[in-house]
Amino acid sequence: MSKVVGTYTGRFDVYRKLCNIKIQIISVPKQKNKIVMSGQGKKNVNGSLLSVKKLMPNDRVNMYGVSIAYQSRGSQQGGPMHNFKDHIALFSEDEKHIDKLLQFLEKHITKKKVIQNSHLQK
């Protein structure tokens, strides 16, 4: 029986648009934890939570961010269904806000796959 083990809400910049995001982590027996995200617009985020990565400000983006990798399912032009790895990035000018989200996601990753992006730091 699957159950919601964590919920996080916050205001993040997604695709250059400020959105109220709601993230739910769902525990599924004998599988990786699932992530379900709503409030970000067109992109449907619903799949196994694979990894998270902190993004530092750089020449193109002057905000802190977190990149979330998750497993998605779909087909291309009516072909057979298959699984693939997809990403979504959430940004905020406040590093503490990003760190709190990162800490929440790290706690719920099944295989603690967390990467610090040191090559993006100034």
Side-chain angles (χ1 to χ4, degrees), residues 46-103:
N46 185 352
S48 297
L49 179 59
L50 300 176
S51 65
V52 295
K53 181 177 10 178
K54 184 174 181 179
L55 305 172
M56 302 303 281
N58 59 32
D59 297 336
R60 294 185 296 147
V61 180
N62 196 21
M63 290 191 275
Y64 294 93
V66 61
S67 174
I68 303 168
Y70 61 97
Q71 184 175 351
S72 194
R73 187 159 173 78
S75 66
Q76 188 172 16
Q77 297 181 349
M81 294 291 278
H82 65 281
N83 294 331
F84 59 94
K85 186 176 181 179
D86 206 353
H87 295 82
I88 189 165
L90 307 176
F91 292 93
S92 176
E93 292 179 355
D94 185 8
E95 185 177 14
K96 290 178 184 172
H97 196 53
I98 291 296
D99 288 341
K100 282 176 64 176
L101 173 61
L102 204 57
Q103 191 175 34

Short mmCIF file of all heavy atoms in Angstrom, two decimals, residues 46-103:
data_model
loop_
_atom_site.label_atom_id
_atom_site.label_comp_id
_atom_site.label_asym_id
_atom_site.label_seq_id
_atom_site.Cartn_x
_atom_site.Cartn_y
_atom_site.Cartn_z
N ASN A 46 5.66 13.15 -12.21
CA ASN A 46 5.09 12.03 -11.47
C ASN A 46 5.91 10.79 -11.81
O ASN A 46 5.76 10.21 -12.87
CB ASN A 46 3.62 11.84 -11.88
CG ASN A 46 2.95 10.76 -11.06
OD1 ASN A 46 3.59 10.05 -10.30
ND2 ASN A 46 1.65 10.63 -11.23
N GLY A 47 6.83 10.42 -10.92
CA GLY A 47 7.66 9.25 -11.18
C GLY A 47 8.62 9.01 -10.04
O GLY A 47 8.61 9.71 -9.03
N SER A 48 9.47 8.00 -10.19
CA SER A 48 10.44 7.66 -9.15
C SER A 48 11.46 8.78 -9.00
O SER A 48 12.01 9.26 -9.98
CB SER A 48 11.16 6.36 -9.51
OG SER A 48 10.25 5.29 -9.57
N LEU A 49 11.73 9.17 -7.77
CA LEU A 49 12.73 10.19 -7.47
C LEU A 49 14.11 9.55 -7.59
O LEU A 49 14.43 8.61 -6.88
CB LEU A 49 12.52 10.73 -6.05
CG LEU A 49 13.48 11.79 -5.55
CD1 LEU A 49 13.45 13.02 -6.45
CD2 LEU A 49 13.12 12.18 -4.13
N LEU A 50 14.94 10.03 -8.54
CA LEU A 50 16.23 9.41 -8.82
C LEU A 50 17.39 10.15 -8.17
O LEU A 50 18.23 9.55 -7.51
CB LEU A 50 16.46 9.32 -10.33
CG LEU A 50 15.42 8.50 -11.10
CD1 LEU A 50 15.70 8.56 -12.59
CD2 LEU A 50 15.41 7.06 -10.61
N SER A 51 17.48 11.46 -8.37
CA SER A 51 18.59 12.22 -7.79
C SER A 51 18.26 13.70 -7.74
O SER A 51 17.35 14.16 -8.42
CB SER A 51 19.88 12.01 -8.60
OG SER A 51 19.74 12.54 -9.89
N VAL A 52 19.02 14.43 -6.92
CA VAL A 52 18.89 15.87 -6.84
C VAL A 52 20.29 16.48 -6.90
O VAL A 52 21.27 15.85 -6.51
CB VAL A 52 18.17 16.34 -5.55
CG1 VAL A 52 16.74 15.87 -5.53
CG2 VAL A 52 18.89 15.88 -4.31
N LYS A 53 20.35 17.69 -7.40
CA LYS A 53 21.63 18.36 -7.57
C LYS A 53 21.44 19.84 -7.30
O LYS A 53 20.51 20.45 -7.82
CB LYS A 53 22.12 18.14 -9.00
CG LYS A 53 23.44 18.75 -9.33
CD LYS A 53 23.95 18.45 -10.73
CE LYS A 53 23.03 17.81 -11.70
NZ LYS A 53 23.59 17.60 -13.02
N LYS A 54 22.32 20.42 -6.48
CA LYS A 54 22.24 21.85 -6.19
C LYS A 54 22.92 22.61 -7.31
O LYS A 54 24.00 22.27 -7.74
CB LYS A 54 22.92 22.16 -4.86
CG LYS A 54 22.78 23.62 -4.46
CD LYS A 54 23.32 23.86 -3.07
CE LYS A 54 23.15 25.30 -2.67
NZ LYS A 54 23.67 25.54 -1.32
N LEU A 55 22.26 23.66 -7.78
CA LEU A 55 22.79 24.51 -8.84
C LEU A 55 23.17 25.85 -8.25
O LEU A 55 22.38 26.47 -7.54
CB LEU A 55 21.74 24.69 -9.95
CG LEU A 55 21.17 23.42 -10.55
CD1 LEU A 55 20.02 23.75 -11.48
CD2 LEU A 55 22.24 22.65 -11.28
N MET A 56 24.37 26.29 -8.54
CA MET A 56 24.87 27.55 -8.01
C MET A 56 24.69 28.66 -9.07
O MET A 56 24.62 28.37 -10.26
CB MET A 56 26.34 27.42 -7.65
CG MET A 56 26.62 26.32 -6.63
SD MET A 56 25.72 26.51 -5.09
CE MET A 56 26.69 27.76 -4.30
N PRO A 57 24.63 29.93 -8.63
CA PRO A 57 24.53 31.03 -9.61
C PRO A 57 25.74 31.03 -10.55
O PRO A 57 26.85 30.67 -10.15
CB PRO A 57 24.55 32.28 -8.74
CG PRO A 57 24.16 31.83 -7.38
CD PRO A 57 24.62 30.42 -7.26
N ASN A 58 25.48 31.37 -11.81
CA ASN A 58 26.57 31.44 -12.79
C ASN A 58 26.34 32.64 -13.71
O ASN A 58 25.54 33.51 -13.42
CB ASN A 58 26.68 30.12 -13.57
CG ASN A 58 25.41 29.77 -14.30
OD1 ASN A 58 24.67 30.64 -14.74
ND2 ASN A 58 25.14 28.49 -14.43
N ASP A 59 27.04 32.69 -14.84
CA ASP A 59 26.93 33.83 -15.76
C ASP A 59 25.54 33.97 -16.37
O ASP A 59 25.09 35.07 -16.68
CB ASP A 59 27.96 33.68 -16.89
CG ASP A 59 29.38 33.72 -16.36
OD1 ASP A 59 29.59 34.29 -15.26
OD2 ASP A 59 30.28 33.18 -17.02
N ARG A 60 24.84 32.85 -16.57
CA ARG A 60 23.52 32.91 -17.23
C ARG A 60 22.36 33.02 -16.24
O ARG A 60 21.36 33.65 -16.53
CB ARG A 60 23.32 31.67 -18.10
CG ARG A 60 24.29 31.61 -19.27
CD ARG A 60 24.02 30.45 -20.19
NE ARG A 60 24.23 29.20 -19.49
CZ ARG A 60 23.54 28.10 -19.72
NH1 ARG A 60 22.59 28.09 -20.62
NH2 ARG A 60 23.78 27.00 -19.05
N VAL A 61 22.49 32.38 -15.08
CA VAL A 61 21.41 32.37 -14.09
C VAL A 61 21.94 32.93 -12.78
O VAL A 61 22.88 32.38 -12.21
CB VAL A 61 20.88 30.94 -13.87
CG1 VAL A 61 19.76 30.94 -12.86
CG2 VAL A 61 20.40 30.33 -15.17
N ASN A 62 21.32 33.99 -12.30
CA ASN A 62 21.80 34.65 -11.08
C ASN A 62 20.98 34.22 -9.87
O ASN A 62 20.65 35.03 -9.02
CB ASN A 62 21.76 36.17 -11.26
CG ASN A 62 22.58 36.87 -10.21
OD1 ASN A 62 23.47 36.28 -9.61
ND2 ASN A 62 22.27 38.14 -9.98
N MET A 63 20.60 32.93 -9.81
CA MET A 63 19.81 32.40 -8.70
C MET A 63 20.35 31.03 -8.31
O MET A 63 21.02 30.37 -9.09
CB MET A 63 18.34 32.26 -9.10
CG MET A 63 17.62 33.56 -9.28
SD MET A 63 15.85 33.34 -9.42
CE MET A 63 15.69 32.99 -11.15
N TYR A 64 20.02 30.61 -7.09
CA TYR A 64 20.33 29.26 -6.64
C TYR A 64 19.23 28.34 -7.14
O TYR A 64 18.09 28.76 -7.32
CB TYR A 64 20.41 29.21 -5.11
CG TYR A 64 21.56 30.01 -4.57
CD1 TYR A 64 21.38 31.34 -4.20
CD2 TYR A 64 22.82 29.45 -4.45
CE1 TYR A 64 22.44 32.09 -3.71
CE2 TYR A 64 23.88 30.19 -3.96
CZ TYR A 64 23.69 31.50 -3.60
OH TYR A 64 24.74 32.24 -3.13
N GLY A 65 19.56 27.08 -7.34
CA GLY A 65 18.56 26.17 -7.85
C GLY A 65 18.78 24.74 -7.40
O GLY A 65 19.81 24.41 -6.81
N VAL A 66 17.81 23.91 -7.70
CA VAL A 66 17.92 22.48 -7.47
C VAL A 66 17.37 21.78 -8.71
O VAL A 66 16.32 22.13 -9.22
CB VAL A 66 17.18 22.05 -6.17
CG1 VAL A 66 15.71 22.33 -6.22
CG2 VAL A 66 17.41 20.57 -5.89
N SER A 67 18.16 20.83 -9.22
CA SER A 67 17.74 20.03 -10.37
C SER A 67 17.26 18.68 -9.83
O SER A 67 17.99 18.01 -9.10
CB SER A 67 18.91 19.83 -11.32
OG SER A 67 18.55 18.95 -12.37
N ILE A 68 16.07 18.30 -10.21
CA ILE A 68 15.47 17.06 -9.73
C ILE A 68 15.35 16.10 -10.91
O ILE A 68 14.73 16.43 -11.92
CB ILE A 68 14.07 17.31 -9.12
CG1 ILE A 68 14.16 18.34 -7.99
CG2 ILE A 68 13.45 16.01 -8.64
CD1 ILE A 68 12.82 18.85 -7.52
N ALA A 69 15.96 14.92 -10.78
CA ALA A 69 15.85 13.89 -11.81
C ALA A 69 14.83 12.85 -11.33
O ALA A 69 14.87 12.40 -10.19
CB ALA A 69 17.20 13.23 -12.05
N TYR A 70 13.93 12.49 -12.23
CA TYR A 70 12.91 11.51 -11.90
C TYR A 70 12.65 10.63 -13.12
O TYR A 70 12.98 10.97 -14.24
CB TYR A 70 11.61 12.19 -11.45
CG TYR A 70 10.99 13.09 -12.49
CD1 TYR A 70 9.97 12.63 -13.30
CD2 TYR A 70 11.44 14.38 -12.68
CE1 TYR A 70 9.42 13.45 -14.28
CE2 TYR A 70 10.89 15.21 -13.64
CZ TYR A 70 9.88 14.73 -14.43
OH TYR A 70 9.34 15.54 -15.40
N GLN A 71 12.07 9.46 -12.87
CA GLN A 71 11.77 8.53 -13.95
C GLN A 71 10.36 8.83 -14.46
O GLN A 71 9.42 8.94 -13.70
CB GLN A 71 11.85 7.09 -13.46
CG GLN A 71 11.63 6.07 -14.55
CD GLN A 71 11.84 4.65 -14.03
OE1 GLN A 71 12.29 4.46 -12.92
NE2 GLN A 71 11.51 3.69 -14.83
N SER A 72 10.26 8.94 -15.77
CA SER A 72 8.97 9.21 -16.39
C SER A 72 8.65 8.10 -17.38
O SER A 72 9.50 7.28 -17.70
CB SER A 72 9.01 10.57 -17.09
OG SER A 72 7.72 10.99 -17.40
N ARG A 73 7.45 8.09 -17.87
CA ARG A 73 7.03 7.05 -18.81
C ARG A 73 6.27 7.72 -19.95
O ARG A 73 5.48 8.62 -19.74
CB ARG A 73 6.14 6.05 -18.10
CG ARG A 73 5.77 4.84 -18.91
CD ARG A 73 5.35 3.70 -17.98
NE ARG A 73 4.85 2.58 -18.75
CZ ARG A 73 5.63 1.72 -19.41
NH1 ARG A 73 6.92 1.85 -19.37
NH2 ARG A 73 5.10 0.73 -20.09
N GLY A 74 6.55 7.28 -21.17
CA GLY A 74 5.86 7.86 -22.31
C GLY A 74 6.23 7.17 -23.60
O GLY A 74 6.98 6.19 -23.63
N SER A 75 5.69 7.68 -24.70
CA SER A 75 5.99 7.14 -26.02
C SER A 75 6.27 8.30 -26.96
O SER A 75 5.90 9.44 -26.70
CB SER A 75 4.82 6.30 -26.55
OG SER A 75 3.70 7.12 -26.78
N GLN A 76 6.92 7.99 -28.05
CA GLN A 76 7.24 9.01 -29.03
C GLN A 76 6.43 8.77 -30.30
O GLN A 76 6.53 7.71 -30.91
CB GLN A 76 8.74 8.98 -29.34
CG GLN A 76 9.18 10.13 -30.19
CD GLN A 76 10.69 10.17 -30.32
OE1 GLN A 76 11.37 9.20 -30.03
NE2 GLN A 76 11.21 11.29 -30.78
N GLN A 77 5.63 9.73 -30.66
CA GLN A 77 4.81 9.68 -31.87
C GLN A 77 4.01 8.39 -32.00
O GLN A 77 4.01 7.74 -33.04
CB GLN A 77 5.68 9.89 -33.11
CG GLN A 77 6.33 11.25 -33.12
CD GLN A 77 7.18 11.47 -34.35
OE1 GLN A 77 7.46 10.54 -35.11
NE2 GLN A 77 7.61 12.70 -34.56
N GLY A 78 3.35 7.99 -30.92
CA GLY A 78 2.47 6.82 -30.96
C GLY A 78 3.19 5.49 -30.88
O GLY A 78 2.57 4.44 -31.05
N GLY A 79 4.47 5.49 -30.61
CA GLY A 79 5.25 4.25 -30.51
C GLY A 79 5.00 3.56 -29.18
O GLY A 79 4.13 3.95 -28.40
N PRO A 80 5.79 2.52 -28.90
CA PRO A 80 5.60 1.79 -27.65
C PRO A 80 6.01 2.63 -26.43
O PRO A 80 6.85 3.51 -26.53
CB PRO A 80 6.54 0.59 -27.80
CG PRO A 80 7.55 1.01 -28.81
CD PRO A 80 6.86 1.97 -29.72
N MET A 81 5.38 2.35 -25.30
CA MET A 81 5.68 3.06 -24.06
C MET A 81 7.04 2.59 -23.53
O MET A 81 7.39 1.42 -23.64
CB MET A 81 4.61 2.76 -23.00
CG MET A 81 3.24 3.31 -23.34
SD MET A 81 3.15 5.09 -23.29
CE MET A 81 2.92 5.34 -21.57
N HIS A 82 7.80 3.53 -22.97
CA HIS A 82 9.08 3.19 -22.36
C HIS A 82 9.37 4.16 -21.21
O HIS A 82 8.76 5.23 -21.11
CB HIS A 82 10.21 3.20 -23.39
CG HIS A 82 10.48 4.56 -23.96
ND1 HIS A 82 9.70 5.12 -24.94
CD2 HIS A 82 11.43 5.48 -23.65
CE1 HIS A 82 10.16 6.33 -25.23
NE2 HIS A 82 11.21 6.57 -24.47
N ASN A 83 10.30 3.79 -20.34
CA ASN A 83 10.72 4.63 -19.22
C ASN A 83 11.90 5.47 -19.66
O ASN A 83 12.74 5.02 -20.44
CB ASN A 83 11.13 3.79 -18.02
CG ASN A 83 9.95 3.05 -17.43
OD1 ASN A 83 8.82 3.50 -17.51
ND2 ASN A 83 10.22 1.90 -16.83
N PHE A 84 11.98 6.68 -19.15
CA PHE A 84 13.13 7.53 -19.43
C PHE A 84 13.36 8.46 -18.24
O PHE A 84 12.48 8.68 -17.42
CB PHE A 84 12.94 8.34 -20.72
CG PHE A 84 11.73 9.23 -20.72
CD1 PHE A 84 11.83 10.56 -20.35
CD2 PHE A 84 10.48 8.75 -21.10
CE1 PHE A 84 10.73 11.40 -20.35
CE2 PHE A 84 9.36 9.58 -21.11
CZ PHE A 84 9.49 10.90 -20.73
N LYS A 85 14.59 8.99 -18.14
CA LYS A 85 14.96 9.90 -17.07
C LYS A 85 14.65 11.32 -17.52
O LYS A 85 15.01 11.72 -18.61
CB LYS A 85 16.45 9.75 -16.78
CG LYS A 85 16.95 10.53 -15.60
CD LYS A 85 18.41 10.21 -15.37
CE LYS A 85 18.97 10.93 -14.18
NZ LYS A 85 20.38 10.59 -13.94
N ASP A 86 13.95 12.07 -16.69
CA ASP A 86 13.59 13.44 -17.00
C ASP A 86 14.06 14.35 -15.86
O ASP A 86 14.36 13.86 -14.77
CB ASP A 86 12.07 13.56 -17.18
CG ASP A 86 11.66 14.71 -18.07
OD1 ASP A 86 12.54 15.51 -18.45
OD2 ASP A 86 10.46 14.82 -18.39
N HIS A 87 14.14 15.64 -16.11
CA HIS A 87 14.61 16.60 -15.13
C HIS A 87 13.67 17.80 -15.06
O HIS A 87 13.02 18.14 -16.03
CB HIS A 87 16.00 17.15 -15.51
CG HIS A 87 17.07 16.14 -15.49
ND1 HIS A 87 17.30 15.27 -16.52
CD2 HIS A 87 17.98 15.83 -14.55
CE1 HIS A 87 18.31 14.49 -16.23
NE2 HIS A 87 18.75 14.81 -15.03
N ILE A 88 13.67 18.43 -13.89
CA ILE A 88 13.03 19.73 -13.73
C ILE A 88 13.92 20.53 -12.77
O ILE A 88 14.52 19.97 -11.87
CB ILE A 88 11.58 19.63 -13.20
CG1 ILE A 88 10.91 21.00 -13.26
CG2 ILE A 88 11.52 19.02 -11.82
CD1 ILE A 88 9.40 20.96 -13.10
N ALA A 89 14.03 21.82 -13.00
CA ALA A 89 14.86 22.68 -12.15
C ALA A 89 13.98 23.74 -11.51
O ALA A 89 13.15 24.36 -12.16
CB ALA A 89 15.97 23.33 -12.98
N LEU A 90 14.18 23.94 -10.21
CA LEU A 90 13.49 24.96 -9.44
C LEU A 90 14.53 25.97 -8.96
O LEU A 90 15.60 25.57 -8.49
CB LEU A 90 12.77 24.35 -8.24
CG LEU A 90 11.82 23.18 -8.53
CD1 LEU A 90 11.27 22.62 -7.23
CD2 LEU A 90 10.70 23.61 -9.44
N PHE A 91 14.22 27.26 -9.04
CA PHE A 91 15.19 28.30 -8.68
C PHE A 91 14.61 29.26 -7.65
O PHE A 91 13.40 29.47 -7.60
CB PHE A 91 15.61 29.10 -9.92
CG PHE A 91 16.41 28.31 -10.90
CD1 PHE A 91 15.80 27.65 -11.96
CD2 PHE A 91 17.78 28.21 -10.77
CE1 PHE A 91 16.53 26.92 -12.86
CE2 PHE A 91 18.53 27.47 -11.66
CZ PHE A 91 17.91 26.83 -12.72
N SER A 92 15.51 29.86 -6.87
CA SER A 92 15.14 30.88 -5.90
C SER A 92 16.35 31.77 -5.66
O SER A 92 17.50 31.32 -5.75
CB SER A 92 14.71 30.24 -4.58
OG SER A 92 14.44 31.23 -3.61
N GLU A 93 16.10 33.04 -5.35
CA GLU A 93 17.19 33.95 -5.03
C GLU A 93 17.74 33.70 -3.64
O GLU A 93 18.86 34.08 -3.32
CB GLU A 93 16.73 35.40 -5.18
CG GLU A 93 16.45 35.78 -6.61
CD GLU A 93 15.96 37.21 -6.77
OE1 GLU A 93 15.75 37.88 -5.74
OE2 GLU A 93 15.78 37.63 -7.92
N ASP A 94 16.96 33.05 -2.78
CA ASP A 94 17.34 32.76 -1.40
C ASP A 94 17.96 31.36 -1.30
O ASP A 94 17.28 30.36 -1.51
CB ASP A 94 16.11 32.86 -0.50
CG ASP A 94 16.43 32.70 0.97
OD1 ASP A 94 17.62 32.65 1.33
OD2 ASP A 94 15.48 32.62 1.77
N GLU A 95 19.24 31.29 -0.99
CA GLU A 95 19.94 30.00 -0.92
C GLU A 95 19.37 29.13 0.21
O GLU A 95 19.28 27.90 0.06
CB GLU A 95 21.44 30.21 -0.70
CG GLU A 95 22.23 28.91 -0.73
CD GLU A 95 23.72 29.10 -0.60
OE1 GLU A 95 24.17 30.19 -0.22
OE2 GLU A 95 24.44 28.13 -0.89
N LYS A 96 18.93 29.73 1.31
CA LYS A 96 18.37 28.95 2.42
C LYS A 96 17.10 28.22 2.00
O LYS A 96 16.84 27.10 2.43
CB LYS A 96 18.09 29.86 3.62
CG LYS A 96 19.35 30.37 4.28
CD LYS A 96 19.02 31.29 5.42
CE LYS A 96 20.32 31.85 6.01
NZ LYS A 96 20.08 32.89 6.98
N HIS A 97 16.31 28.85 1.15
CA HIS A 97 15.08 28.25 0.63
C HIS A 97 15.42 26.99 -0.19
O HIS A 97 14.77 25.96 -0.05
CB HIS A 97 14.36 29.29 -0.22
CG HIS A 97 12.93 28.98 -0.51
ND1 HIS A 97 12.01 28.69 0.47
CD2 HIS A 97 12.26 28.93 -1.68
CE1 HIS A 97 10.84 28.46 -0.09
NE2 HIS A 97 10.96 28.60 -1.39
N ILE A 98 16.45 27.10 -1.02
CA ILE A 98 16.88 25.96 -1.84
C ILE A 98 17.47 24.87 -0.96
O ILE A 98 17.21 23.68 -1.17
CB ILE A 98 17.90 26.43 -2.91
CG1 ILE A 98 17.21 27.31 -3.96
CG2 ILE A 98 18.61 25.24 -3.57
CD1 ILE A 98 16.16 26.62 -4.79
N ASP A 99 18.26 25.25 0.05
CA ASP A 99 18.87 24.26 0.95
C ASP A 99 17.81 23.48 1.72
O ASP A 99 17.96 22.27 1.93
CB ASP A 99 19.84 24.94 1.92
CG ASP A 99 21.12 25.39 1.24
OD1 ASP A 99 21.42 24.87 0.13
OD2 ASP A 99 21.81 26.26 1.79
N LYS A 100 16.72 24.13 2.13
CA LYS A 100 15.63 23.44 2.83
C LYS A 100 14.96 22.42 1.91
O LYS A 100 14.67 21.30 2.32
CB LYS A 100 14.60 24.44 3.35
CG LYS A 100 15.02 25.16 4.62
CD LYS A 100 14.03 26.21 5.06
CE LYS A 100 12.70 25.61 5.44
NZ LYS A 100 11.75 26.63 5.95
N LEU A 101 14.73 22.81 0.65
CA LEU A 101 14.14 21.88 -0.32
C LEU A 101 15.08 20.71 -0.57
O LEU A 101 14.66 19.56 -0.62
CB LEU A 101 13.82 22.60 -1.63
CG LEU A 101 13.35 21.72 -2.77
CD1 LEU A 101 12.06 21.00 -2.42
CD2 LEU A 101 13.17 22.53 -4.04
N LEU A 102 16.36 21.00 -0.74
CA LEU A 102 17.37 19.97 -0.98
C LEU A 102 17.41 18.97 0.18
O LEU A 102 17.46 17.77 -0.04
CB LEU A 102 18.73 20.64 -1.18
CG LEU A 102 19.78 19.90 -1.96
CD1 LEU A 102 19.29 19.55 -3.35
CD2 LEU A 102 21.04 20.73 -2.06
N GLN A 103 17.37 19.49 1.39
CA GLN A 103 17.39 18.63 2.58
C GLN A 103 16.15 17.73 2.61
O GLN A 103 16.24 16.54 2.93
CB GLN A 103 17.45 19.51 3.82
CG GLN A 103 17.73 18.78 5.10
CD GLN A 103 17.88 19.74 6.27
OE1 GLN A 103 17.22 20.79 6.32
NE2 GLN A 103 18.73 19.40 7.21
#
